[in-house]
Amino acid sequence: MTQPALHLSVLDQSTVSHGTPEDQAIRDTVSLAQHTEALGYSRFWIAEHHNHASIAGSSPEVLLAALAMKTERIRLGSAGVMLPHYSALHVAEQFRVLDALAPGRIDLGVGRAPGSDGRTAFALNPHNDHADNFPAQVRDLLHWVNGLEMPEGHNFRTVTAHPMSEASAPDVWMLGSSDYGAQLAAHFGLPYSFAHFITDGRGAGQALDLYRRNFKPSPFLSEPKANLCVWALAAETEAEARHWFRSRARWRIDRNRGKLGPLLAPDDLPPFSRDEEVEVENLWAQSYAGSAAQVAEKLRRLAQEQALDEIVILTWTHSREVKRRSYELLAAEFNL
């Protein structure tokens, strides 16, 4: 049997590089969306984080409006909106507006995680009791986004999210890095995206299998549809990839010790201890980094193992040019 063509998409988190203003990271995201659209990528997703010294992307719905005006073909979406921070109606209205700006091109990826620490989550919404009601929030969101009538007896049965369209509606995706999101996506009949980059792949196969086995066809989707979001970095050579990889390795090691900050340039990194060098090698061994051919081979193998026809690529580098070149090299490898 012929392996189906593998579609590649992009997740960008507007990462902050040391020596560059934070607001430049937002403008770089807009530029990267235009660049990857020209290269043939299928989607461009952006994330939501708060009070995060490494990531400037705090308002995906605002940034998506800018992307809608700067692109023409590529699908645009959130990966994701952290739904417990907000009312489902407010999110539905925002994404109905986005669909009006880019009809048929909007993905609304939602997640349950705070995208921040507990204190920041409280600051965002001091009255937040949505985390325990997440399934009900998703149910209401689906009705409002798609213009469906609420169930009989629902308090908001007469409330509609505007603007409505007869032609299109945002596609709602469930995001997750555990079995919980997989089960919820299956229950509601939604497409599912597993955050491979958060767990380094742990639990991905189990979550995808759970999703596919329990999937219930819905008005939104007749068959299971899933992808993985993977951190990857392609360079002209393995040695070059190793050089740029060390910035993220330094960040990962520091993050695990509770220290967050902008990505440092490889030449400006503080020395790694002997134990840290071992950790760097372990991170490299399990990474999707290397020459373009090496990365492409790993991604194809992963897609085949997990029966996927789409992988979403997240790339962190201190250099904007190196990140853009990584996406160029992978686009060429996969004939996008």
Side-chain angles (χ1 to χ4, degrees):
M1 181 180 294
T2 303
Q3 182 74 9
L6 183 60
H7 300 280
L8 294 187
S9 296
V10 180
L11 169 63
D12 192 62
Q13 295 178 315
S14 302
T15 49
V16 181
S17 294
H18 185 263
T20 303
E22 283 192 9
D23 56 344
Q24 183 61 46
I26 299 297
R27 293 187 289 274
D28 286 347
T29 292
V30 176
S31 176
L32 184 65
Q34 295 173 301
H35 185 58
T36 51
E37 176 179 56
L39 291 172
Y41 283 82
S42 298
R43 308 176 196 275
F44 192 93
W45 284 354
I46 55 176
E48 176 184 342
H49 291 81
H50 303 280
N51 192 32
H52 201 303
S54 311
I55 299 174
S58 57
S59 185
E61 63 279 6
V62 175
L63 185 49
L64 283 169
L67 298 181
M69 296 295 93
K70 293 290 188 177
T71 59
E72 297 178 357
R73 175 200 57 80
I74 196 167
R75 289 195 68 91
L76 305 169
S78 57
V81 165
M82 301 296 102
L83 193 54
H85 293 318
Y86 315 106
S87 78
L89 174 61
H90 187 54
V91 174
E93 289 176 331
Q94 290 175 332
F95 277 77
R96 289 259 25 120
V97 170
L98 288 169
D99 186 68
L101 293 173
R105 290 203 288 138
I106 300 298
D107 296 328
L108 169 49
V110 295
R112 185 180 61 150
S116 61
D117 57 273
R119 183 181 296 273
T120 303
F122 182 73
L124 282 163
N125 185 358
H127 308 291
N128 181 3
D129 60 356
H130 295 321
D132 294 335
N133 299 319
F134 186 64
Q137 271 197 296
V138 173
R139 177 203 62 202
D140 292 352
L141 181 71
L142 289 170
H143 280 78
W144 275 318
V145 163
N146 292 282
L148 304 176
E149 192 173 50
M150 290 290 188
E152 188 72 38
H154 195 290
N155 287 340
F156 305 133
R157 188 174 171 83
T158 61
V159 177
T160 301
H162 296 284
M164 291 306 301
S165 167
E166 295 181 0
S168 65
D171 286 351
V172 179
W173 284 70
M174 182 62 60
L175 312 179
S177 57
S178 68
D179 291 349
Y180 180 86
Q183 292 172 342
L184 209 57
H187 173 76
F188 283 113
L190 297 175
Y192 175 60
S193 182
F194 184 89
H196 183 286
F197 69 95
I198 291 178
T199 69
D200 291 325
R202 291 184 297 276
Q206 177 177 314
L208 290 173
D209 181 62
L210 188 66
Y211 166 67
R212 288 165 175 151
R213 282 191 289 107
N214 292 284
F215 180 84
K216 298 177 181 178
S218 71
F220 322 110
L221 198 63
S222 59
E223 297 179 348
K225 180 179 181 179
N227 65 37
L228 288 179
C229 187
V230 178
W231 190 92
L233 172 62
E236 304 288 350
T237 65
E238 180 181 331
E240 184 183 351
R242 280 182 175 271
H243 174 75
W244 291 104
F245 175 82
R246 290 176 73 83
S247 288
R248 186 168 188 263
R250 177 77 267 171
W251 180 88
R252 282 281 301 264
I253 292 170
D254 289 344
R255 181 206 63 181
N256 292 343
R257 294 171 179 166
K259 179 182 176 183
L260 291 175
L263 278 175
L264 299 172
D267 293 335
D268 296 335
L269 299 178
F272 290 93
S273 69
R274 182 177 300 176
D275 288 343
E276 287 174 342
E277 285 289 2
V278 172
E279 194 169 351
V280 171
E281 284 304 308
N282 289 336
L283 289 170
W284 172 263
Q286 64 188 8
S287 76
Y288 289 77
S291 70
Q294 290 171 328
V295 176
E297 181 183 358
K298 289 181 179 182
L299 292 175
R300 289 191 178 99
R301 188 183 313 128
L302 176 65
Q304 188 169 17
E305 290 171 353
Q306 302 299 343
L308 297 169
D309 65 2
E310 180 182 15
I311 288 181
V312 185
I313 304 297
L314 167 66
T315 300
W316 285 32
T317 63
H318 178 269
S319 166
R320 170 179 180 265
E321 289 72 25
V322 171
K323 177 193 286 191
R324 290 165 67 92
R325 183 57 178 156
S326 177
Y327 284 112
E328 288 173 6
L329 290 169
L330 290 178
E333 284 290 329
F334 286 90
N335 298 312
L336 298 188

